[in-house]
Amino acid sequence: MKLKLLILLALAVASCKSPEARYPVTQKSGSYIDESAQRNRDLLTQEEEKIQRIIEQDSTQNYIASRGNFWYYYNQKSTDSVNTTTPDFGDIVVFDYSISTLDGEPIYAEGEKPTREYAIDQEKLFTGLREGLKLMKEGETVTFLFPSYQAFGYYGDKGKIGTNVPLKTKVTLHSIKTENETNN
């Protein structure tokens, strides 16, 4: 009986020991993230170099570098000194656009995409176009050159635009309704 009690007491004491954490056999240092970041930097460098070559070869246009890391030129610039309004947050813009590769191969030709009505910064639209519209005035047509991260990035558009494709986008802004006009 004493032996059974001694064994039970030993088991009780042994089972009270707190569990120790099991550590993985191998530990990763985060090199995958570092490699991915480097791939993205390299991709951006290649895309920007290609855009710079296009700009250098096209002497017919006056390209402007935006703060958002894309480039653009005016196909048709507003000369109206009265109409100097560009859209702000919440304004409704009506525009048409076409999308092609940087080499000019059409992806979505003019007229293929329906005329779009868009509330600035309140609806889903790819980053470059969202920022580009804020630079435009009514009646202007602008061609934008977007690196892939400003366009559809890694995922593409789940349609005609694949992974990491830099784009040339031609946009015509038809009208701007300010947020005040929309609320009245």
Side-chain angles (χ1 to χ4, degrees):
M1 178 84 163
K2 285 185 177 183
L3 183 60
K4 287 182 184 179
L5 186 59
L6 191 57
I7 292 175
L8 230 102
L9 184 61
L11 285 174
V13 169
S15 66
C16 290
K17 182 180 174 189
S18 62
E20 290 184 25
R22 294 183 355 193
Y23 295 100
V25 176
T26 60
Q27 295 180 356
K28 302 244 177 178
S29 66
S31 62
Y32 174 76
I33 292 173
D34 295 338
E35 291 170 11
S36 177
Q38 187 58 47
R39 272 193 310 272
N40 288 337
R41 282 191 291 272
D42 293 344
L43 177 65
L44 177 59
T45 300
Q46 291 171 5
E47 290 175 0
E48 286 180 344
E49 287 172 355
K50 183 172 185 174
I51 290 171
Q52 288 304 321
R53 281 193 304 273
I54 290 169
I55 291 171
E56 289 169 6
Q57 293 171 359
D58 187 1
S59 61
T60 62
Q61 302 299 336
N62 181 27
Y63 287 86
I64 302 165
S66 76
R67 291 182 184 171
N69 290 337
F70 58 86
W71 294 260
Y72 63 99
Y73 63 85
Y74 289 92
N75 301 76
Q76 181 178 343
K77 187 170 178 144
S78 175
T79 56
D80 185 1
S81 61
V82 177
N83 179 20
T84 59
T85 306
T86 56
D88 288 321
F89 178 84
D91 292 349
I92 306 294
V93 295
V94 177
F95 66 96
D96 283 306
Y97 68 109
S98 61
I99 298 175
S100 62
T101 65
L102 290 180
D103 299 324
E105 294 295 319
I107 297 173
Y108 293 104
E110 288 189 40
E112 191 172 343
K113 289 276 202 186
T115 299
R116 176 97 190 257
E117 188 173 285
Y118 168 71
I120 297 291
D121 290 336
Q122 294 184 337
E123 298 177 43
K124 193 171 184 175
L125 193 65
F126 71 87
T127 306
L129 185 53
R130 185 172 61 236
E131 296 304 315
L133 284 167
K134 294 178 195 176
L135 302 172
M136 297 178 70
K137 298 175 188 131
E138 278 186 8
E140 290 185 333
T141 301
V142 177
T143 298
F144 297 97
L145 304 179
F146 298 119
S148 64
Y149 81 94
Q150 288 284 7
F152 290 92
Y154 178 76
Y155 294 104
D157 73 341
K158 309 283 188 213
K160 293 182 176 183
I161 300 172
T163 298
N164 296 326
V165 177
L167 299 175
K168 181 186 277 190
T169 304
K170 184 177 177 183
V171 182
T172 301
L173 182 59
H174 300 295
S175 66
I176 302 171
K177 293 180 204 166
T178 63
E179 191 173 24
N180 295 336
E181 293 173 337
T182 309
N183 291 336
N184 291 335

